[in-house]
C-alpha cells in the first residue's frame, strides 16, 4: 500500500484497478495526512485485504476523473447494518502497558474498527482511555466513517499512571452512552475493556453499575499475570465479576499484543452477535408497570394528588419509549375507569402529563374486581410481549369484595403484584394481594405523605424481581 523511502517522504503505490483514485486532491496537493495515517497501520498485501482497500479509497479527496463512481461507497457510508451496536473501546493507557505495547493496542483496535463496518446505519464507536483518571477520547457521535475513527485512534496519546480500570469502567457506563453524546435508542451498548496484565483497582462494583445501565461489558485480557505477579492482583476473579455474564462469551484472552491479526475476526463476530447481548435489557427499559389507583371517597382530593405524585415518581425512574418500558393506569371505586393503556403514550413526558391529568372519581372500594379488570383489559394485550409485567395496587381501605382470588389469577398470568396500603388499608388484604415473598412486595404507610419515602424501595423491588427472573 504505502511506501516510505529513506528520506521519510511518502509516496502512494496504486494498486491495479485503482488508477481512478489519484493520491492528489482537487488542488493538486498530495494528501499527505491520510498517507501518513495509512502507513502507521501495518498492512500485509493480499488479495482480500480490507485495510488495503480502505487505504486505496480514502487517499483520494478528488472524484475519479473517468468512469462511474462505484456503488459500494454508498453502502460504506451506511456501514454494516447487520451489526447495530454502540461500542466504547476502553483502552489501557497505564504504565502497566507502556508506550510500545500501547501502540500495538491502538493498532489492534484499528483493525477491529476496520472489520466492524462502521457507518451511519451500522456500528458506532468511541474510545475511553483508562489511566490514573479516565478520559473520554472521542464519543460515538464524533465519527461515522471508519477512516475518521482510524485517524482518531492513531492520534491518541499515551497517558500513563495506574490502570484504574474499575474507575474507568464505572465512569464509562455512567457518562459515555447518553443520547446527547450519540447513543442510539434500542441499540445494544457495549464496552470492550482492554487490559494488559491486571487492574490496579476493584472491578466488581463497576460491573454491577454497567449491568444496571444496560451495558454489555467484554474484557479482552492480554498477558495474564504470571504466578509471581498474582500476589499483586486484588481479586483473581476480576474478569468474571466485571463482564456482562460469566458464561465465557464476554471474556476474551490473548497471549500477547504481537501477532493479533488472527484475533480480530472472532472478536468482531462476538461484538456483532446482537442476540447474545444479554445485558441490554434492564429493569429500566424492559418492564410494563400498571398502576391500580383507589379513587374511593375516604381519600379526598388533596390526598389523591399525593397518590398521583407517587405514581409519577415511580414512572419517572423508567425509560419509557416504544421499544422500552411502558406504563398504564386504572382508577377504581365500585367501578373501574381505565385512565390510559400501555400503548397510549410512548414518551415519558406524555405519560407524566397523563398521570397529572387524572381526575378524582370518589366512590366505594371493590379492589378484587378492579384487579380482575386490569389483568384482563390492561395486561391482556401485552401478555405475550417481551417486557416483564408489574402491577402496583394503591388503596386506603378495606375492599368490599374478595382480593385473594383475583390477585392469584393476576400472578398466574405472569404479573408481579406490589400492594401499597395507606391509612385504613388492612394488612391481611395487602398481603393477600402481594406476590411472593410477601414481605418484600407489601408496603404500608399511616399517612399519605409517607408515600414519597417508598418510591426508591418500589423501584428497587421491581429491579430485583426483574434480575431474578433473568438469572
Amino acid at each position: 500500500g504505502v511506501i516510505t523511502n529513506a528520506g521519510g517522504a511518502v509516496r502512494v503505490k496504486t494498486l491495479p484497478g485503482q488508477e481512478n483514485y489519484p493520491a492528489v486532491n482537487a488542488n493538486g496537493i498530495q494528501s499527505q495526512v491520510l498517507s501518513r495515517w495509512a502507513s502507521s497501520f501495518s498492512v500485509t498485501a493480499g488479495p482480500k485485504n480490507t485495510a488495503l482497500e480502505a487505504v486505496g479509497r480514502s487517499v483520494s479527496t478528488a472524484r475519479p476523473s473517468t468512469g462511474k463512481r462505484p456503488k459500494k461507497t454508498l453502502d460504506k457510508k451506511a456501514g454494516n447494518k447487520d451489526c447495530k451496536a454502540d461500542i466504547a473501546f476502553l483502552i489501557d493507557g497505564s504504565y502497566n502497558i507502556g508506550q510500545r505495547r500501547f501502540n500495538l493496542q491502538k493498532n489492534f483496535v484499528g483493525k477491529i474498527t476496520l472489520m466492524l463496518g462502521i457507518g451511519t446505519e451500522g456500528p458506532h464507536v468511541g474510545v475511553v482511555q483508562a489511566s490514573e483518571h479516565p478520559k473520554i477520547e472521542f464519543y460515538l457521535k464524533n465519527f461515522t466513517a471508519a477512516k475518521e475513527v482510524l485517524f482518531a485512534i492513531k492520534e491518541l496519546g499515551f497517558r500513563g499512571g495506574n490502570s484504574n480500570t474499575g474507575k474507568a469502567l464505572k465512569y464509562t457506563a455512567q457518562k459515555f452512552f447518553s443520547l446527547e453524546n450519540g447513543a442510539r435508542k434500542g441499540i445494544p451498548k457495549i464496552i470492550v475493556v482492554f487490559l494488559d496484565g491486571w487492574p490496579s483497582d476493584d472491578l466488581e462494583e463497576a460491573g454491577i453499575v454497567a449491568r444496571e445501565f444496560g451495558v454489555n461489558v467484554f474484557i479482552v485480557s492480554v498477558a495474564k499475570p504470571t504466578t509471581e505477579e498474582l500476589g499483586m492482583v486484588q481479586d483473581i476473579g476480576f474478569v468474571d465479576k466485571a463482564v456482562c455474564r460469566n458464561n465465557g462469551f464476554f471474556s476474551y484472552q490473548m497471549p500477547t499484543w504481537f501477532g493479533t491479526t488472527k484475533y480480530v475476526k472472532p472478536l468482531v463476530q462476538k461484538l456483532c452477535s446482537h442476540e447474545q447481548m444479554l445485558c441490554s435489557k434492564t429493569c429500566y427499559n424492559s418492564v410494563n408497570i400498571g398502576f391500580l389507583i383507589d379513587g374511593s371517597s375516604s381519600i379526598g382530593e388533596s390526598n389523591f394528588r399525593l397518590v398521583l405524585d407517587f405514581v409519577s415518581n415511580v414512572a419517572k425512574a423508567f425509560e419509557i419509549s416504544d421499544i422500552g418500558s411502558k406504563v398504564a393506569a386504572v382508577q377504581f371505586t365500585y367501578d373501574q375507569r381505565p385512565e390510559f393503556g400501555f400503548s397510549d403514550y410512548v414518551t415519558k413526558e406524555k405519560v407524566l402529563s397523563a398521570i397529572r391529568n387524572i381526575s378524582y372519581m370518589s366512590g366505594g372500594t371493590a379492589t378484587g374486581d378492579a384487579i380482575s379488570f386490569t389483568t384482563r383489559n390492561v395486561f391482556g394485550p401485552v401478555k405475550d410481549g417481551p417486557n416483564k409485567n408489574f402491577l402496583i395496587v394503591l388503596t386506603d381501605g378495606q375492599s368490599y369484595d374478595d382480593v385473594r382470588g383475583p390477585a392469584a389469577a393476576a400472578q398466574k398470568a405472569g404479573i408481579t403484584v406490589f400492594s401499597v396500603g395507606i391509612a385504613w388499608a388492612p394488612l391481611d388484604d395487602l398481603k393477600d394481594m402481594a406476590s411472593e415473598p410477601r414481605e418484600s412486595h407489601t408496603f404500608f404507610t399511616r399517612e399519605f405523605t409517607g408515600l414519597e419515602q417508598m418510591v426508591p424501595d418500589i423501584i428497587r423491588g421491581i429491579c430485583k424481581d426483574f434480575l431474578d427472573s433473568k438469572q
Side-chain angles (χ1 to χ4, degrees):
V2 176
I3 302 162
T4 310
N5 62 22
V10 176
R11 60 196 175 83
V12 177
K13 181 173 74 178
T14 309
L15 292 175
Q18 289 183 336
E19 291 81 358
N20 291 340
Y21 295 85
V24 172
N25 67 18
N27 306 320
I29 299 160
Q30 187 169 341
S31 74
Q32 278 288 330
V33 179
L34 283 172
S35 320
R36 220 177 42 240
W37 154 73
S39 66
S40 77
F41 285 89
S42 49
V43 171
T44 49
K48 275 202 166 133
N49 200 304
T50 45
L52 271 179
E53 287 173 33
V55 170
R57 282 205 196 98
S58 56
V59 168
S60 160
T61 48
R63 275 179 172 274
S65 49
T66 56
K68 286 215 169 89
R69 198 170 176 77
K71 276 272 186 320
K72 253 192 130 167
T73 48
L74 296 171
D75 301 344
K76 211 167 151 93
K77 201 168 176 353
N80 178 7
K81 293 181 186 168
D82 296 331
C83 182
K84 279 200 190 313
D86 284 343
I87 304 170
F89 291 120
L90 179 55
I91 61 173
D92 190 341
S94 67
Y95 290 137
N96 237 7
I97 191 170
Q99 179 75 58
R100 183 178 182 217
R101 296 202 303 274
F102 180 75
N103 288 341
L104 291 169
Q105 175 183 226
K106 290 201 304 188
N107 211 337
F108 181 60
V109 174
K111 289 174 185 167
I112 296 167
T113 300
L114 264 182
M115 193 172 265
L116 274 171
I118 291 167
T120 48
E121 305 291 309
H124 292 180
V125 306
V127 170
V128 183
Q129 188 173 167
S131 54
E132 199 65 42
H133 302 291
K135 178 178 184 228
I136 296 177
E137 301 284 1
F138 58 91
Y139 287 104
L140 296 162
K141 66 175 180 191
N142 293 129
F143 310 110
T144 51
K147 65 176 186 198
E148 296 170 342
V149 174
L150 281 172
F151 189 71
I153 291 170
K154 178 183 182 304
E155 295 296 298
L156 295 176
F158 173 60
R159 292 172 65 79
N162 275 326
S163 66
N164 290 327
T165 313
K167 184 177 171 183
L169 176 55
K170 188 174 170 185
Y171 179 82
T172 307
Q174 290 171 322
K175 301 272 190 284
F176 183 83
F177 294 100
S178 65
L179 293 174
E180 53 270 27
N181 291 330
R184 295 167 289 177
K185 270 193 173 165
I187 285 182
K189 303 197 257 287
I190 298 172
I191 299 176
V192 185
V193 180
F194 293 94
L195 237 180
D196 188 286
W198 64 93
S200 52
D201 63 349
D202 179 45
L203 283 185
E204 187 169 11
E205 192 205 341
I208 293 167
V209 169
R211 287 190 284 279
E212 278 189 358
F213 275 87
V215 176
N216 299 277
V217 176
F218 283 80
I219 293 218
V220 178
S221 49
V222 186
K224 271 192 188 148
T226 58
T227 324
E228 54 272 21
E229 286 168 340
L230 279 176
M232 299 158 77
V233 183
Q234 278 193 28
D235 182 354
I236 293 170
F238 68 84
V239 172
D240 292 342
K241 288 178 180 166
V243 290
C244 161
R245 285 276 193 285
N246 175 15
N247 60 2
F249 180 78
F250 294 93
S251 40
Y252 199 69
Q253 172 67 38
M254 299 195 310
T256 155
W257 288 109
F258 296 94
T260 54
T261 307
K262 61 178 175 290
Y263 296 103
V264 174
K265 193 175 178 188
L267 182 55
V268 166
Q269 281 168 337
K270 282 185 181 228
L271 299 181
C272 292
S273 304
H274 208 280
E275 65 293 343
Q276 300 267 12
M277 298 301 157
L278 303 173
C279 289
S280 294
K281 298 233 166 276
T282 66
C283 61
Y284 299 110
N285 66 20
S286 308
V287 295
N288 296 324
I289 306 173
F291 291 94
L292 187 52
I293 304 165
D294 186 342
S296 58
S297 331
S298 52
I299 290 179
E301 186 73 55
S302 63
N303 283 337
F304 188 72
R305 291 289 125 204
L306 292 175
V307 172
L308 294 185
D309 287 344
F310 168 85
V311 171
S312 288
N313 288 332
V314 173
K316 216 177 266 171
F318 294 87
E319 291 172 35
I320 300 165
S321 75
D322 52 340
I323 50 170
S325 291
K326 297 181 171 56
V327 171
V330 172
Q331 188 178 171
F332 71 99
T333 54
Y334 281 135
D335 217 4
Q336 304 84 34
R337 185 171 82 195
E339 302 290 354
F340 55 92
F342 287 125
S343 54
D344 291 349
Y345 304 111
V346 292
T347 69
K348 194 183 288 193
E349 294 68 45
K350 290 203 164 124
V351 164
L352 296 176
S353 146
I355 294 168
R356 272 197 304 275
N357 291 327
I358 293 175
S359 61
Y360 174 47
M361 281 167 77
S362 187
T365 314
T367 317
D369 261 1
I371 293 173
S372 300
F373 174 87
T374 307
T375 302
R376 196 171 53 247
N377 298 296
V378 178
F379 286 96
V382 296
K383 74 170 187 299
D384 299 321
N387 287 2
K388 187 163 166 50
N389 293 315
F390 292 89
L391 175 63
I392 299 174
V393 182
L394 289 132
T395 181
D396 81 323
Q398 173 90 49
S399 176
Y400 295 129
D401 60 2
D402 167 59
V403 294
R404 186 177 291 180
Q411 291 165 35
K412 204 170 163 199
I415 303 164
T416 303
V417 182
F418 283 89
S419 58
V420 178
I422 312 132
W424 311 108
L427 203 55
D428 292 348
D429 268 15
L430 297 175
K431 283 198 167 140
D432 282 346
M433 292 188 283
S435 286
E436 296 284 353
R438 297 207 156 134
E439 290 62 51
S440 59
H441 291 83
T442 308
F443 291 83
F444 178 79
T445 172
R446 184 64 56 220
E447 306 288 336
F448 281 85
T449 48
L451 284 169
E452 201 180 333
Q453 278 86 24
M454 287 181 191
V455 171
D457 295 328
I458 297 267
I459 294 164
R460 207 169 294 128
I462 290 173
C463 284
K464 186 178 183 320
D465 286 349
F466 179 86
L467 278 174
D468 290 349
S469 74
K470 289 281 170 257
Q471 295 304 344

